[in-house]
């Protein structure tokens, strides 16, 4: 019996980084499946994985583990198009930043294929295999959304892979919990960053930016097709979080406008203590 | 004739960092004026400046240049209390994050004393001389708010000091321009950070934070008395910027809720291109 195989479908920033970070994992061969010739050439010449192929169907047929590293809609399309190609007894996972729609889409798979949703919480403001980085996941959270039907051995295998890749920890949630929380911890941060850049004074503020401005707007230079899909697929939860933020901003605006400094100080004390408590609980 | 003297009044995070960063500036002796014994002891034992005194009045009497490194209201109090102590022919500056109220307050000084407002755009989420850092200003903007009545030689002197301290550049603005712009580039970033921490889901999101969440909320653990003063002294400009942000967030919420993906993509394209343009113009 030969080596086992992991297929990484899509060698973009995340897929390329996963393929590189998986190097040396147990007795698995890492196979990258790509569509473009330029990605193929880059991956081969830079040794991103053990083997690169442009035949994704064949790659998933042979793979004991499949990582789907494509944009959200492309993952859903791939699951439908290749439902009968996945190896019986294998496990399939993905890297999408929303999980309910993906886990729902994966119900098209045969019962012999085990799907477990995954969200590696890492990224960059640049895309493509040329920006892939074997250390991208160091210190980051890896979220899995297993359900009662999944094989515990498969969940354990993905956890070992995550640890090998350098993730700080592996957290479990239901797809619905994941999407509600991620609307707050990630999606609305991106909405804030782009909303700040819509201010008419953006370009006249050059020379007046501090660290807080650079940090907050860092993620505004986002991948538009990807984030259009992520926001749209999580619209109800995200809209609730944006509304809450609007309300909390208005409350600060009213406290500042009132001229009541004691009330403003009390409000700032409340919020900043929450942040300190958060730091205390989650040293990063 | 002996050395010239710079007095740094207040050796907190900013004053301590300025005193350290000024070490070796031309032929100036750096004198720190402090109020607490513990700050005095720390500054002496760690060599924060050439000399430390608890007699601020005497320090400013001897100083050719005075840096007022106190909280906003304390700067206004110091200017009033020591209006007759400042050395004739000397220059006085400050480090306050708002400028109109400070420049207005400095009008109490005699005509023989030249006041030029300054805002070093750097900071940390911790305070006190123990956190002072001679490299705090590396790569940061230094803003000066001179007026027609200031001695150009004094403006040039402060610019040389800023370059010596490692600032990336020295930018000039009127106090009113400064305050309007800083409401956007700094103050509202802090308001966003605290408003995000008011979300009821803050503590349940542990394990689900990514880099965008850590970056955006970094400044939420703020110095409450300091920021209460900064926000209150710039209330009208800040409230306008918060209102604009609320409007821009609502526009995103409505675009997401509408289900019109093409419209959302166009909106994200607009905002993200503005951010890329900003990065292109201001590589940091």
């Amino acid at each position: 019996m030969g080596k086992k195989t992991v297929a990484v479908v899509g060698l973009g920033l995340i897929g390329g980084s996963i393929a590189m970070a998986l190097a040396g994992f147990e007795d698995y061969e890492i196979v990258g499946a790509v569509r473009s010739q330029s990605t193929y050439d880059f991956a081969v010449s830079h040794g991103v994985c053990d083997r690169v192929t442009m035949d994704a169907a064949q790659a998933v047929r042979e793979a004991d583990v499949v990582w789907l590293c494509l944009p959200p809609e492309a993952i859903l399309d791939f699951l439908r198009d290749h439902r009968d190609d996945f190896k019986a007894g294998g496990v399939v996972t993905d890297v999408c930043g929303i999980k309910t729609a993906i886990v729902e889409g994966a119900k098209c798979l045969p019962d012999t294929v085990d799907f477990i949703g995954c969200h590696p919480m890492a990224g960059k403001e640049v895309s493509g295999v040329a920006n892939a980085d074997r250390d991208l996941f160091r210190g980051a959270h890896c979220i899995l959304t297993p359900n009662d039907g999944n094989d515990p051995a498969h969940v354990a295998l993905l956890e070992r892979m995550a640890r090998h890749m350098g993730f700080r920890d592996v957290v479990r949630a239901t797809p619905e919990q994941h999407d509600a929380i991620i609307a707050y911890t990630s999606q609305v941060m991106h909405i804030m960053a782009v909303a700040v850049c819509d201010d008419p004074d953006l370009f006249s503020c050059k020379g007046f930016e501090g660290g807080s401005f650079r940090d907050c707007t860092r993620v505004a230079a986002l991948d538009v097709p990807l984030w259009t899909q992520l926001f749209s697929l999580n619209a109800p939860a995200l809209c609730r979080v944006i509304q809450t933020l609007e309300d909390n901003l208005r409350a600060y605006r009213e406290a500042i406008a009132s001229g009541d400094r004691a009330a403003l100080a009390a409000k700032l004390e409340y919020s900043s203590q929450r942040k300190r408590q958060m730091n205390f609980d989650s040293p990063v």
Side-chain angles (χ1 to χ4, degrees), chain A residues 183-238:
Chain A
Y184 172 54
T185 59
S186 170
Q187 294 196 325
V188 84
M189 303 297 141
H190 290 73
I191 292 292
M192 272 197 297
V194 287
V196 163
C197 291
D198 286 353
D199 193 293
D201 283 336
L202 177 67
F203 296 115
S204 58
C205 85
K206 274 180 286 185
F208 297 85
E209 328 91 80
S212 60
F213 187 85
R214 285 187 288 267
D215 281 356
C216 177
T217 62
R218 178 179 62 83
V219 294
L222 43 70
D223 180 327
V224 172
L226 171 64
W227 285 93
T228 299
Q229 293 181 20
L230 290 171
F231 294 148
S232 298
L233 289 168
N234 201 25
L238 177 55

Side-chain angles (χ1 to χ4, degrees), chain A residues 116-176:
Chain A
I116 301 168
C118 178
H119 179 190
M121 292 204 66
K124 287 188 191 178
E125 289 69 66
V126 286
S127 56
V129 70
N131 292 297
D133 176 358
R134 71 179 66 244
D135 292 322
L136 184 63
F137 309 111
R138 296 230 161 266
H141 298 298
C142 181
I143 307 171
L144 294 181
T145 61
N147 60 50
D148 291 343
N150 291 128
D151 181 344
H154 285 153
V155 179
L157 171 61
L158 293 184
E159 290 187 341
R160 291 202 305 282
M161 283 187 165
R163 279 196 289 274
H164 184 85
M165 286 190 261
F167 283 97
R168 172 184 166 192
D169 53 21
V170 181
V171 182
R172 295 190 194 190
T174 68
E176 295 74 19

Side-chain angles (χ1 to χ4, degrees), chain A residues 6-181:
Chain A
V6 188
V8 180
V9 177
L11 293 178
L13 172 70
I14 301 296
S17 299
I18 285 179
M20 292 161 74
L22 278 174
F25 176 73
E26 298 180 3
D27 56 343
Y28 283 81
E29 181 185 28
I30 319 296
V31 179
V34 303
R35 282 197 307 187
S36 85
Q37 188 65 47
S38 60
T39 303
Y40 181 94
D41 293 342
F42 185 98
V44 169
S45 64
H46 289 74
V48 168
C49 43
D50 299 319
R51 188 152 53 84
V52 190
T53 176
M54 294 184 79
D55 186 346
Q58 183 59 26
V60 302
R61 260 180 229 120
E62 298 171 352
D64 303 283
V65 184
V66 176
W67 282 84
L68 299 177
C69 304
L70 303 168
E73 299 289 358
I75 291 175
L76 295 173
D77 291 343
F78 194 95
L79 287 165
R80 271 191 301 271
D81 296 345
H82 294 273
R83 62 182 302 281
D84 297 320
D85 291 327
F86 293 101
K87 185 175 180 174
V91 57
V92 180
T93 187
D94 76 307
V95 298
C96 185
I98 52 99
K99 298 266 61 88
T100 309
I102 301 292
V103 170
E104 189 62 30
K107 289 183 178 165
C108 74
L109 297 181
D111 288 345
T112 52
V113 177
D114 209 14
F115 184 87
I116 301 168
C118 178
H119 179 190
M121 292 204 66
K124 287 188 191 178
E125 289 69 66
V126 286
S127 56
V129 70
N131 292 297
D133 176 358
R134 71 179 66 244
D135 292 322
L136 184 63
F137 309 111
R138 296 230 161 266
H141 298 298
C142 181
I143 307 171
L144 294 181
T145 61
N147 60 50
D148 291 343
N150 291 128
D151 181 344
H154 285 153
V155 179
L157 171 61
L158 293 184
E159 290 187 341
R160 291 202 305 282
M161 283 187 165
R163 279 196 289 274
H164 184 85
M165 286 190 261
F167 283 97
R168 172 184 166 192
D169 53 21
V170 181
V171 182
R172 295 190 194 190
T174 68
E176 295 74 19
Q177 286 170 337
H178 170 277
D179 289 358
I181 296 174

Side-chain angles (χ1 to χ4, degrees), chain A residues 235-275:
Chain A
L238 177 55
C239 288
R240 277 193 298 276
V241 175
I242 298 174
Q243 176 76 68
T244 300
L245 179 61
E246 289 170 54
D247 294 344
N248 289 337
L249 285 169
R250 189 182 59 250
Y252 261 108
R253 177 166 54 80
E254 289 169 355
I256 293 164
S258 77
D260 182 343
R261 289 198 186 188
L264 176 59
K267 199 163 163 46
L268 288 169
E269 185 65 28
Y270 172 81
S271 309
S272 62
Q273 279 301 343
R274 286 171 66 84
K275 170 61 177 170

